[in-house]
Amino acid sequence: MTKFMLLMNMDGGNSDTPMLEWDEADMKAHMNHLGEGIERLRKSGELVEVQGLTWPSHAKVVRAASVTAPVLTDGPYAESKEVLAGYTMIDVESEERAYEIAAWQSAAPGPGGVPLEQPIEVRRVMESDADLHDF
């Protein structure tokens, strides 16, 4: 088994309307779709962890300051589509299975039930020092 992290950004996919402005029924359908997929992963034993993250306005960026206390700033100030919204950690038999799960997440419905086709970044978790050299 190999662990992968599926990263979901605040990129709206096919919708320019922020999720908080969707009709309640559309938002519920979206969350139900994702919830059903998570429940299937839980039952199959492939789910390691799933988490949504708070809004970027709650984030802080910390940088070490060589002699003084760490420097703490508000942020990040990336474009909203580049801000991490949440992640799903899975442990699956193959990279292809990770892609299949990511495609399911990407197909979550948006406004009017249209699949968002939101991009999901699939990253394999490093298993050894050898992975540092695997570009």
Side-chain angles (χ1 to χ4, degrees), residues 11 15 22 29-30 33 36 56 59 81 87 94 99 106-107 109 113:
D11 182 320
S15 175
W22 294 359
H30 179 83
H33 176 92
E36 289 169 6
K81 69 181 182 178
Y87 65 91
S94 67
Y99 295 154
S106 177

Side-chain angles (χ1 to χ4, degrees), residues 13-76:
N14 292 335
S15 175
D16 292 329
T17 306
M19 187 177 186
L20 292 177
E21 296 176 18
W22 294 359
D23 291 339
E24 186 175 338
D26 289 337
M27 191 180 302
K28 189 173 186 175
H30 179 83
M31 298 309 290
N32 284 343
H33 176 92
L34 294 175
E36 289 169 6
I38 295 303
E39 188 56 33
R40 282 200 308 274
L41 292 173
R42 187 174 283 118
K43 286 180 179 176
S44 71
E46 296 172 306
L47 181 67
V48 175
E49 181 178 20
V50 60
Q51 297 291 334
L53 302 173
T54 59
W55 297 113
S57 60
H58 299 280
K60 301 290 183 204
V61 176
V62 178
R63 294 185 196 277
S66 57
V67 192
T68 61
V71 177
L72 183 68
T73 57
D74 291 334

